[in-house]
Amino acid sequence: MKNLILILFVAAFITSCSHNKDGEKPIARVLNKYLYPADLVGLIKPGTSAKDSLAVVKNYISDWIRQQVLVAKAEENVEVDKKELDKKIEDYKQSILIYQYEIELVKQKLDTIVTEKQMDDFYSIHKEDFILRNDVVRLTYIKIPNQQSNLVSIRRLFVDPSTNVLQMQDVCKKENLSSSFDESSWISTDFFPANMQTALMKTKGFVEQRDSVYTYLSQVKEYLQKGNASPKNYVKDQIFKIIVNQRKVEMIKNIREDLYKEALQKGDFEIIDEN
């Protein structure tokens, strides 16, 4: 950080000695606009290395220069109504303040707990809105590198009906294998190589496919083609987000209405009839 400060002061000295701002010398200039060290306050996050800090500052200065060049050209070529511009700036400022205020209220008060029944009810009503865009399959699977020395024994365990889920999970954990044994979960077939996608569609039960790198072992429980309604478990996360977002929208609507009614009761505003 000391190196960064030194670089900034050196840059400021080289840039100009005649345009000071509260005792600071500028870092960069575009026509009659100047960038000062104070403008960079808060730019560097605590713990950032000197090298990364310097890169952040350089990028900021570069972006500032590019923006000022563009602004100067715009000012030169576009006639702007100052009153209209000031109104837009004020409107934008108000929008930012309102947005930040509502975001803070949402963080504090929004109910983000969604029960299974609420998701079931929502899915029942809106089932036709959740149409599959790709094929999905419900299955258990293991993805095994072809060079795995005990591939044969893992396959034997996987197809043995007496092997329980905990045993297979333990084997996969020890061998660091990608796998899933949740029979209720649906997976997009895009996850698997093309030749296996075809096999999954045509077969119910054990499927084994191999490409140049991996062997895929799977037990297919159910297959659904795109165009069908998505299984609820496949879109649970999406349903959760929709429900919470609906609550958020309703909450903000109520907040605005309550504030209006409160201001009305207090006499904080009036509509003045100039007639």
Side-chain angles (χ1 to χ4, degrees):
M1 189 60 70
K2 290 181 179 179
N3 291 337
L4 175 60
I5 295 173
L6 178 61
I7 290 170
L8 292 179
F9 274 107
V10 170
F13 179 79
I14 293 173
T15 304
S16 173
C17 294
S18 59
H19 292 273
N20 291 356
K21 175 185 176 183
D22 297 329
E24 288 187 323
K25 295 175 181 177
I27 299 168
R29 177 186 66 82
V30 175
L31 300 175
N32 63 342
K33 303 284 182 64
Y34 292 85
L35 181 69
Y36 294 88
D39 298 322
L40 306 182
V41 172
L43 185 63
I44 307 299
K45 295 181 180 179
T48 305
S49 68
K51 181 180 178 182
D52 290 341
S53 297
L54 182 58
V56 170
V57 170
K58 283 183 175 180
N59 288 337
Y60 183 89
I61 293 172
S62 176
D63 290 342
W64 180 86
I65 290 173
R66 292 173 183 275
Q67 181 170 337
Q68 296 309 315
V69 168
L70 184 58
V71 169
K73 183 58 67 174
E75 290 176 341
E76 182 182 324
N77 290 276
V78 178
E79 290 186 8
V80 178
D81 185 316
K82 189 176 185 307
K83 287 185 179 180
E84 183 181 351
L85 179 61
D86 289 343
K87 183 181 183 304
K88 287 181 178 179
I89 291 172
E90 182 61 27
D91 289 346
Y92 183 60
K93 176 184 175 183
Q94 291 180 8
S95 296
I96 292 175
L97 288 172
I98 291 170
Y99 174 78
Q100 291 297 331
Y101 171 68
E102 291 177 342
I103 286 296
E104 286 303 314
L105 285 179
V106 166
K107 284 181 181 178
Q108 296 171 20
K109 299 183 178 182
L110 182 64
D111 178 12
T112 57
I113 297 175
V114 182
T115 66
E116 284 292 330
K117 185 179 185 309
Q118 288 170 330
M119 285 195 277
D120 287 342
D121 292 344
F122 186 93
Y123 178 75
S124 296
I125 297 171
H126 302 281
K127 184 175 181 179
E128 296 306 317
D129 295 334
F130 298 99
I131 302 301
L132 287 170
R133 296 183 179 180
N134 49 273
D135 293 2
V136 295
V137 62
R138 186 167 61 83
L139 80 174
T140 58
Y141 78 89
I142 306 177
K143 180 180 176 182
I144 310 171
N146 290 334
Q147 71 272 21
Q148 185 85 16
S149 59
N150 54 351
L151 191 155
V152 174
S153 61
I154 294 173
R155 181 194 293 113
R156 187 181 300 117
L157 278 172
F158 185 73
V159 299
D160 187 344
S162 66
T163 304
N164 62 50
V165 171
L166 292 178
Q167 285 177 290
M168 289 309 309
Q169 288 177 330
D170 186 53
V171 169
C172 292
K173 184 177 180 180
K174 287 180 180 178
E175 301 295 340
N176 195 28
L177 301 176
S178 174
S179 62
S180 173
F181 298 98
D182 182 0
E183 295 186 2
S184 65
S185 293
W186 292 82
I187 301 174
S188 170
T189 56
D190 292 343
F191 176 80
F192 301 100
N195 61 331
M196 186 170 180
Q197 292 178 33
T198 303
L200 292 173
M201 182 171 59
K202 293 180 177 180
T203 308
K204 187 170 184 180
F206 179 69
V207 175
E208 178 177 351
Q209 288 290 325
R210 173 182 296 212
D211 59 23
S212 59
V213 183
Y214 294 102
T215 293
Y216 297 83
L217 307 178
S218 64
Q219 291 282 359
V220 178
K221 309 300 179 181
E222 193 174 354
Y223 191 97
L224 275 178
Q225 292 181 307
K226 62 182 179 181
N228 287 293
S230 300
K232 192 199 80 173
N233 280 356
Y234 188 67
V235 291
K236 277 184 70 174
D237 289 345
Q238 190 177 348
I239 292 172
F240 171 83
K241 290 177 182 177
I242 292 173
I243 292 175
V244 171
N245 188 64
Q246 287 180 342
R247 290 177 183 175
K248 175 183 172 182
V249 171
E250 185 64 22
M251 179 181 173
I252 290 174
K253 177 184 175 182
N254 291 336
I255 287 171
R256 294 182 177 186
E257 186 62 23
D258 290 345
L259 286 173
Y260 175 84
K261 290 178 179 178
E262 181 182 344
L264 178 62
Q265 290 175 353
K266 290 181 177 180
D268 289 344
F269 69 88
E270 60 180 317
I271 299 174
I272 301 172
D273 186 354
E274 295 182 355
N275 297 325

Coordinates of all heavy atoms in Angstrom, one line a residue, residues 114-124 232 239 243:
V114 N -40.4 -21.0 3.0 CA -41.4 -21.5 2.1 C -41.6 -23.0 2.5 O -40.6 -23.8 2.4 CB -41.0 -21.4 0.7 CG1 -42.1 -21.9 -0.2 CG2 -40.7 -19.9 0.3
T115 N -42.8 -23.4 2.9 CA -43.0 -24.8 3.2 C -43.2 -25.6 2.0 O -43.5 -25.1 0.9 CB -44.3 -24.8 4.1 OG1 -45.4 -24.5 3.4 CG2 -44.2 -23.9 5.3
E116 N -43.1 -26.9 2.2 CA -43.4 -27.9 1.1 C -44.8 -27.8 0.6 O -45.0 -27.9 -0.6 CB -43.1 -29.3 1.6 CG -41.7 -29.7 1.8 CD -41.0 -29.8 0.4 OE1 -41.6 -30.1 -0.6 OE2 -39.7 -29.5 0.4
K117 N -45.8 -27.6 1.5 CA -47.1 -27.4 1.1 C -47.3 -26.2 0.2 O -48.1 -26.2 -0.8 CB -48.1 -27.3 2.3 CG -49.6 -27.3 1.9 CD -50.5 -27.2 3.1 CE -51.9 -27.3 2.7 NZ -52.3 -26.4 1.7
Q118 N -46.7 -25.1 0.6 CA -46.8 -23.9 -0.2 C -46.2 -24.1 -1.6 O -46.8 -23.6 -2.6 CB -46.1 -22.7 0.5 CG -46.8 -22.2 1.7 CD -46.0 -21.2 2.5 OE1 -44.7 -21.3 2.5 NE2 -46.6 -20.3 3.2
M119 N -45.1 -24.9 -1.7 CA -44.5 -25.2 -3.0 C -45.4 -26.1 -3.8 O -45.6 -26.0 -5.0 CB -43.1 -25.7 -2.8 CG -42.1 -24.6 -2.5 SD -40.4 -25.1 -2.7 CE -40.1 -26.0 -1.2
D120 N -46.0 -27.1 -3.1 CA -46.9 -28.0 -3.7 C -48.1 -27.3 -4.3 O -48.5 -27.6 -5.5 CB -47.4 -29.1 -2.7 CG -46.3 -30.1 -2.4 OD1 -45.3 -30.2 -3.2 OD2 -46.4 -30.8 -1.3
D121 N -48.7 -26.4 -3.5 CA -49.9 -25.6 -4.0 C -49.5 -24.8 -5.2 O -50.3 -24.7 -6.1 CB -50.4 -24.8 -2.8 CG -51.0 -25.6 -1.7 OD1 -51.3 -26.8 -1.9 OD2 -51.2 -25.1 -0.6
F122 N -48.4 -24.1 -5.1 CA -48.0 -23.2 -6.2 C -47.8 -24.1 -7.5 O -48.2 -23.7 -8.6 CB -46.7 -22.5 -5.9 CG -46.3 -21.5 -6.9 CD1 -46.7 -20.2 -6.8 CD2 -45.5 -21.8 -8.0 CE1 -46.3 -19.2 -7.7 CE2 -45.1 -20.9 -8.9 CZ -45.5 -19.6 -8.8
Y123 N -47.1 -25.2 -7.3 CA -46.8 -26.1 -8.5 C -48.1 -26.6 -9.1 O -48.3 -26.7 -10.3 CB -45.9 -27.3 -8.0 CG -45.6 -28.3 -9.1 CD1 -44.7 -28.0 -10.1 CD2 -46.3 -29.5 -9.2 CE1 -44.5 -28.9 -11.2 CE2 -46.0 -30.4 -10.2 CZ -45.1 -30.1 -11.2 OH -44.9 -31.0 -12.2
S124 N -49.1 -27.0 -8.2 CA -50.4 -27.5 -8.7 C -51.1 -26.5 -9.6 O -51.7 -26.8 -10.6 CB -51.3 -27.9 -7.6 OG -50.7 -29.0 -6.8
K232 N -41.9 -31.6 -10.1 CA -41.8 -30.6 -9.1 C -40.4 -30.5 -8.5 O -39.9 -29.4 -8.3 CB -42.8 -30.8 -8.0 CG -43.0 -29.6 -7.0 CD -43.6 -30.0 -5.7 CE -42.6 -30.6 -4.8 NZ -43.1 -30.8 -3.4
I239 N -39.3 -22.5 -8.0 CA -40.6 -22.2 -7.3 C -40.3 -21.4 -6.1 O -41.0 -20.4 -5.8 CB -41.3 -23.5 -7.0 CG1 -41.8 -24.2 -8.3 CG2 -42.5 -23.2 -6.1 CD1 -42.4 -25.5 -8.1
I243 N -41.9 -17.6 -5.3 CA -42.7 -17.3 -4.2 C -42.1 -16.2 -3.3 O -42.8 -15.3 -2.9 CB -42.9 -18.6 -3.3 CG1 -43.8 -19.6 -4.1 CG2 -43.6 -18.2 -2.0 CD1 -43.9 -21.0 -3.4

